[in-house]
Amino acid sequence: MVGYLRCFCSLYAAVLVACIPQIVTAKQDKQPALRRVDVMVDNSDEYADTVVSLQAPKKAVGLGYHDHAKIKSILSTSKEMISTAKALIEDVRTLKEGTKMMEDANALFKEVKAHIAKRKLASEAGSIRRKYSAHDIQQAEEDEERALDVARSVFEVAITFPECVEMFLQDCLSTINSQVQSLGLATIETVVHEKRNLSQPGYNKVVIITDLSAQRVLGQAGDGIVTYPFLWDDAVSGLKSLGVDGKWNCVDLTPEDCCRDIKESAPTIDTRGNYVECNIYVPWGGKNKPKRNDRVFINLSPDGRVHEAPIIE
């Protein structure tokens, strides 16, 4: 009996020892969840919003407290200089002064981006860790938060430069995205959200998101799938899902053909006396929307509230 217990204990100890490294590794390898912050929202369409967000990278550039404060201060100064320069440039009497101030603001912006790039290199050189300790996780979260905050400021400055204003908005965002991404700060993402409920006017409209040419259906996820979030209360057959579980495969279809398929799935009125309708949503820079002022965008503060007046009017 004693021999059996010794054998069992030895076997148990061996199994426990084998499992411990896996448990420790799993705990140490745990990394903070990626964060995102919304910076602008397009609310010009009645039935859909487009939100511009900054997504934190898997490994954020390391920015200390003082470094973060200094960068934020410089970016704030750059933004103020751009605003003042624009006003000066509009008056022929102060055109030269405004142009010089805009050049200075641009130089200051380039300087701070160069500084962030150096911090990124230093961060990469000093942060090659095989495992995460509890302190490392906290540090990573703080780095990520500061990096996103700086990314927001870089975004707000870059989008006000005349070069960006003259671009199609999508091209402008692409340019800024390449900057904040190369600096290790964030990645810009745009997401379309439907913004109505069943009790609001327009509940009977299916939002069809097109490509930039407005010739083909893009869909919310870019796969040509169009969705309707509500059950249709048909006056004849009662409650039912439209399409296939509220979805239509409109890949390679024109928005008009897609709309025809949608209407065929509900040929009769609902209990409120309405037919199903379509709302065709063309993204930024698309057909008949070639300028930056094709949408009304509102800057959002870190808590998601309106930060300032619409920047694109």
Side-chain angles (χ1 to χ4, degrees), residues 163-237:
E163 294 82 357
C164 205
V165 172
E166 295 301 322
M167 292 181 179
F168 294 147
L169 181 57
Q170 194 63 39
D171 294 336
C172 173
L173 292 178
S174 178
T175 298
I176 300 174
N177 183 50
S178 65
Q179 294 183 29
V180 295
Q181 196 169 15
S182 65
L183 292 173
L185 296 174
T187 300
I188 293 178
E189 295 183 353
T190 56
V191 181
V192 177
H193 300 285
E194 294 193 23
K195 61 175 183 181
R196 68 266 169 80
N197 58 52
L198 198 53
S199 63
Q200 292 176 320
Y203 73 91
N204 60 317
K205 294 195 175 185
V206 179
V207 177
I208 301 175
I209 304 170
T210 75
D211 60 8
L212 293 180
S213 70
Q215 297 299 309
R216 289 290 181 269
V217 175
L218 184 66
Q220 187 172 14
D223 55 4
I225 302 299
V226 174
T227 62
Y228 182 69
F230 312 122
L231 290 175
W232 184 255
D233 194 3
D234 195 282
V236 176
S237 56

Side-chain angles (χ1 to χ4, degrees), residues 12 45 128 188 213 282:
Y12 177 79
D45 188 86
I128 301 176
I188 293 178
S213 70
V282 183

Side-chain angles (χ1 to χ4, degrees), residues 11-311:
L11 179 61
Y12 177 79
V15 171
L16 184 62
V17 169
C19 291
I20 286 176
Q22 297 177 11
I23 296 172
V24 172
T25 300
K27 184 176 181 180
Q28 290 180 336
D29 285 344
K30 181 181 178 182
Q31 299 184 23
L34 296 181
R35 300 182 189 178
R36 63 186 303 133
V37 57
D38 296 339
V39 290
M40 289 201 312
V41 60
D42 160 22
N43 62 357
S44 64
D45 188 86
E46 189 176 359
Y47 305 111
D49 280 338
T50 299
V51 178
V52 180
S53 301
L54 295 172
Q55 173 73 61
K58 290 184 178 180
K59 184 177 290 185
V61 58
L63 294 175
Y65 175 80
H66 295 292
D67 213 17
H68 168 259
K70 179 181 178 181
I71 291 171
K72 288 279 291 182
S73 177
I74 295 174
L75 289 172
S76 177
T77 300
S78 298
K79 187 178 179 182
E80 291 175 3
M81 290 173 66
I82 294 169
S83 179
T84 303
K86 284 180 177 178
L88 292 172
I89 289 173
E90 290 178 358
D91 190 333
V92 67
R93 295 170 298 180
T94 54
L95 174 61
K96 186 175 181 180
E97 181 184 355
T99 302
K100 178 63 168 61
M101 183 174 290
M102 187 66 74
E103 291 173 352
D104 291 342
N106 194 23
L108 196 60
F109 189 42
K110 288 181 178 179
E111 181 181 326
V112 76
K113 286 190 293 182
H115 176 73
I116 296 172
K118 289 181 180 179
R119 293 298 305 135
K120 178 175 181 286
L121 291 175
S123 178
E124 290 173 346
S127 65
I128 301 176
R129 312 183 186 108
R130 293 183 179 178
K131 298 178 181 179
Y132 277 76
S133 66
H135 172 72
D136 290 331
I137 292 175
Q138 181 180 354
Q139 183 64 50
E141 290 176 344
E142 292 174 355
D143 287 348
E144 187 178 90
E145 185 174 347
R146 284 191 286 261
L148 272 180
D149 191 39
V150 169
R152 168 190 286 278
S153 295
V154 170
F155 175 87
E156 291 177 346
V157 173
I159 204 167
T160 61
F161 271 105
E163 294 82 357
C164 205
V165 172
E166 295 301 322
M167 292 181 179
F168 294 147
L169 181 57
Q170 194 63 39
D171 294 336
C172 173
L173 292 178
S174 178
T175 298
I176 300 174
N177 183 50
S178 65
Q179 294 183 29
V180 295
Q181 196 169 15
S182 65
L183 292 173
L185 296 174
T187 300
I188 293 178
E189 295 183 353
T190 56
V191 181
V192 177
H193 300 285
E194 294 193 23
K195 61 175 183 181
R196 68 266 169 80
N197 58 52
L198 198 53
S199 63
Q200 292 176 320
Y203 73 91
N204 60 317
K205 294 195 175 185
V206 179
V207 177
I208 301 175
I209 304 170
T210 75
D211 60 8
L212 293 180
S213 70
Q215 297 299 309
R216 289 290 181 269
V217 175
L218 184 66
Q220 187 172 14
D223 55 4
I225 302 299
V226 174
T227 62
Y228 182 69
F230 312 122
L231 290 175
W232 184 255
D233 194 3
D234 195 282
V236 176
S237 56
L239 286 173
K240 65 177 183 179
S241 292
L242 298 184
V244 179
D245 294 328
K247 299 178 181 179
W248 296 266
N249 186 353
C250 291
V251 62
D252 291 331
L253 293 183
T254 66
E256 292 77 17
D257 287 341
C258 180
C259 184
R260 185 193 64 241
D261 291 348
I262 290 169
K263 289 183 176 181
E264 287 178 354
S265 65
T268 55
I269 60 173
D270 67 359
T271 54
R272 303 187 202 181
N274 295 316
Y275 286 97
V276 67
E277 300 289 346
C278 302
N279 182 69
I280 298 175
Y281 184 87
V282 183
W284 311 313
K287 185 178 179 181
N288 298 325
K289 295 181 173 63
K291 301 298 182 182
R292 275 284 303 274
N293 62 356
D294 63 343
R295 294 280 193 258
V296 177
F297 279 88
I298 298 175
N299 264 345
L300 300 178
S301 65
D303 62 2
R305 298 178 182 177
V306 174
H307 182 52
E308 56 186 32
I311 62 171

